[in-house]
């Protein structure tokens, strides 16, 4: 006679795999992290699938923004910048080395060392990421490890992000137009990538910026007169792009540049 078999759906957070994934997905959309359309396609769908089925940290719906949504956003950043092709600290199955940021003067330095992206450890311990005491990410410094793809708009949902450095790679596409949501952002370095399009007008709303480095990309258009709104700017580079037009008069009002 045939042996009867049964499948046991292990509960996590008191939910089946499907229920938990549906709940996580609903949170990402309802909180405005990702649109209902984008979460159905890569890289957002890859990040959600990893969070639901592969991540052994087993975060639960309702665990809190800097435990759940933040982890999803960092996974989205990984997949969006083709993390499996990084030369350092990509997920374990890729077999890459994982050398930490070892210069104590660099913002991404972690005195405890670093773990790979998509590791089961808290994402605050992932390579190039640093968090405040409340476990919310303040710093992302991922440079010169063969990053490509695009910068996801979800990165602007890291509500406490202060420092963003994605220098030296082959990231293309546009600079996200919603970086102005990061009202505490002070440092943006997207130097030596392959970014296209114009410098978004919204970036000039980030009034706390003291560094904006967009050198060596393929940016087009003109430099907006709104550059004059960045009154705290001490360092600014846009060399080696495809920009045209005159330097606006408002640029002369940036009296803190170079100081």
């Amino acid at each position: 006679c045939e042996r009867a078999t049964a499948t046991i759906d292990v509960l996590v957070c008191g939910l089946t795999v499907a229920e938990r994934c549906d709940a996580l997905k609903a949170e990402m959309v309802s909180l405005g992290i990702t649109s209902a359309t984008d979460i159905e396609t890569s890289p957002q769908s890859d990040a959600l699938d990893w969070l639901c089925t592969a991540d052994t940290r087993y975060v639960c719906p309702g665990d809190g923004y800097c435990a759940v949504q933040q982890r999803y956003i960092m996974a989205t950043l990984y997949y969006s910048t083709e993390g499996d092709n990084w030369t350092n600290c990509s997920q374990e199955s890729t077999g890459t080395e994982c050398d930490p940021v070892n210069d104590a003067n660099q913002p991404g330095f972690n005195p405890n060392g670093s773990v790979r992206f998509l590791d089961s450890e808290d994402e605050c311990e992932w390579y190039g990421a640093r968090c405040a005491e409340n476990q919310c990410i303040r710093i992302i410094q991922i440079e010169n490890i063969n990053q490509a793809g695009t910068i996801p708009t979800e990165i602007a949902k890291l509500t406490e992000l202060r420092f963003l450095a994605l220098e030296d790679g082959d990231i293309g596409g546009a600079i996200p137009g919603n970086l102005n949501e990061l009202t505490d952002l002070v440092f943006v370095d997207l130097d030596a990538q392959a970014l296209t399009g114009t410098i978004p007008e919204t970036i000039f709303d980030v009034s706390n910026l003291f560094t904006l480095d967009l050198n060596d990309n393929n940016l087009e258009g003109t430099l907006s007169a709104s550059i004059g709104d960045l009154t705290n700017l001490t360092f600014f580079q846009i060399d080696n792009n495809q920009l045209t037009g005159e330097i606006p008069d408002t640029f002369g009002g940036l009296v803190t540049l170079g100081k």
Side-chain angles (χ1 to χ4, degrees), residues 219-255:
L219 298 170
E220 299 176 335
T222 60
L223 180 60
S224 170
S226 298
I227 184 70
D229 295 337
L230 299 181
T231 55
N232 293 308
L233 209 60
T234 61
F235 186 89
F236 178 61
Q237 288 193 144
I238 52 169
D239 294 342
N240 299 322
N241 280 286
Q242 309 301 319
L243 298 172
T244 57
E246 300 293 327
I247 297 174
D249 292 340
T250 54
F251 190 82
L254 299 176
V255 296

Side-chain angles (χ1 to χ4, degrees), residues 177-188:
N178 61 343
L179 290 183
N180 59 321
E181 296 179 26
L182 296 169
T183 56
D184 294 322
L185 195 63
V186 297
F187 188 103
V188 173

Side-chain angles (χ1 to χ4, degrees), residues 121-231:
E121 291 290 324
D122 192 295
E123 61 277 6
C124 293
E125 305 301 320
W126 291 359
Y127 170 76
R130 302 297 294 134
C131 290
E133 291 182 1
N134 61 0
Q135 296 303 105
C136 294
I137 288 178
R138 293 275 181 91
I139 293 168
I140 296 175
Q141 184 179 16
I142 302 172
E143 301 175 333
N144 194 27
I145 58 169
N146 198 41
Q147 321 95 290
T150 60
I151 303 171
T153 57
E154 284 80 3
I155 203 167
K157 305 300 181 178
L158 293 172
T159 54
E160 296 199 19
L161 191 65
R162 309 290 202 269
F163 184 104
L164 176 63
L166 300 175
E167 185 178 6
D168 199 358
D170 196 31
I171 295 175
I175 298 170
N178 61 343
L179 290 183
N180 59 321
E181 296 179 26
L182 296 169
T183 56
D184 294 322
L185 195 63
V186 297
F187 188 103
V188 173
D189 185 357
L190 306 177
D191 186 15
Q193 295 289 354
L195 297 167
T196 58
T198 60
I199 301 172
E201 186 73 15
T202 50
I203 204 166
F204 303 116
D205 294 332
V206 188
S207 59
N208 291 317
L209 271 182
F210 65 76
T211 290
L212 180 59
D213 189 354
L214 304 175
N215 258 17
D216 299 298
N217 280 285
N218 298 309
L219 298 170
E220 299 176 335
T222 60
L223 180 60
S224 170
S226 298
I227 184 70
D229 295 337
L230 299 181
T231 55

